Amino acid sequence: KVKSRMTYSIGIGGMYWHTEQGDIVRDKWLFTPSIRLGYKFNDRTELRYEGKLSEQSPSLGDMNNIEQALDTLQIRKGNPLLLPFTSYNNSITFSTGYNKFNFFLDVSDNYSPNQIMESVYVRDNYIIRTMENQKYWHNVLTTINLSYGASNFYVYARGGLNWTDSKGLNYHHYLRNWFYKFGIEGSWKKWTAYSEIGNGRTSLVGETMSERDKSAYVGLSYRINNLYLNAIAFFSLQKWTNKDVNFNKSAYQEKHFYTNNRNMVMLKAIWNFQFGRKANQKNKLINNSDSESGILNAR
């Protein structure tokens, strides 16, 4: 801390990456420094900045040097030449409040040169899908949240702009997606009613854009001591629930996903209880695990 208003922290981390597949041997040292700065103007207003480098390694399945048929026209091909890539992450957050109103603004920037993304090309009348280190992937996400909260009433409006620039070795695509959510919650004695409506955030990675449907839900909850009984009705405001579009010039593809439970009512019961000894558990800073099968995923 600096004079009780400003806080800061600096961290450094790293990892060593090594793979062998036949005559192909890969080694790389990866470093992950981070910095956090915060300044409190008063008890309700604060400005924070966070910057860090993160390293992403290719999956063993994507590096598997084999070919696997997806259907009669498409082949998924592994790429043993994949290399880890670095992501540069920066975010600025401003939060303030007055009386029962609260305001939150967050702007995050994620830039990843050489990001691993899909490449699609035609070979001998077959569509080949493989993963490669592309030029870069750049995403800027701006989120605004405005809320009003009283003792038994809460309403919020949340939204923003999701902008993405995806540049590959042989393609270049942009995405500009506006997203929003509106919600309200009210309680009376042991009853609580709540509702929300909004659209899903659209994403773009490589040449594939994934979009969620517009949806809404309403719910009612009743509390009996530590037991909560809930009834929630979900509504999809479009015919499909998910849509994937691949903009590749040689193999344009559009998929719509439909489910028969888009409009449904869910009953849920939650019981909170505690017994026995309590222990404080700290999160491990490092978690080394091997959960990859190394099998090429035919997707």
Side-chain angles (χ1 to χ4, degrees), residues 19-32:
T19 62
E20 294 184 22
Q21 186 170 183
D23 297 331
I24 301 176
V25 180
R26 298 284 184 176
D27 295 270
K28 191 175 183 181
W29 285 97
L30 309 171
F31 297 98
T32 56

Side-chain angles (χ1 to χ4, degrees), residues 70-123:
L70 300 176
D71 50 42
T72 57
L73 297 176
Q74 301 182 91
I75 293 175
R76 170 65 67 185
K77 183 179 182 299
N79 183 3
L81 301 179
L82 292 176
L83 287 173
F85 63 91
T86 303
S87 294
Y88 301 86
N89 308 294
N90 295 276
S91 66
I92 296 178
T93 304
F94 176 77
S95 59
T96 187
Y98 176 75
N99 201 357
K100 292 180 172 57
F101 289 93
N102 290 284
F103 175 79
F104 175 90
L105 170 64
D106 180 83
V107 180
S108 62
D109 183 281
N110 187 326
Y111 178 67
S112 303
N114 303 315
Q115 174 155 325
I116 297 173
M117 298 185 290
E118 188 182 54
S119 285
V120 181
Y121 59 91
V122 177
R123 184 193 70 188

Side-chain angles (χ1 to χ4, degrees), residues 129 209 240 243-247 251-257:
R129 297 185 176 273
M209 181 189 72
W240 46 265
K243 181 175 76 172
D244 291 345
V245 180
N246 188 291
F247 297 103
Y252 178 88
Q253 189 178 61
E254 187 168 329
K255 297 180 181 179
H256 291 78
F257 298 88

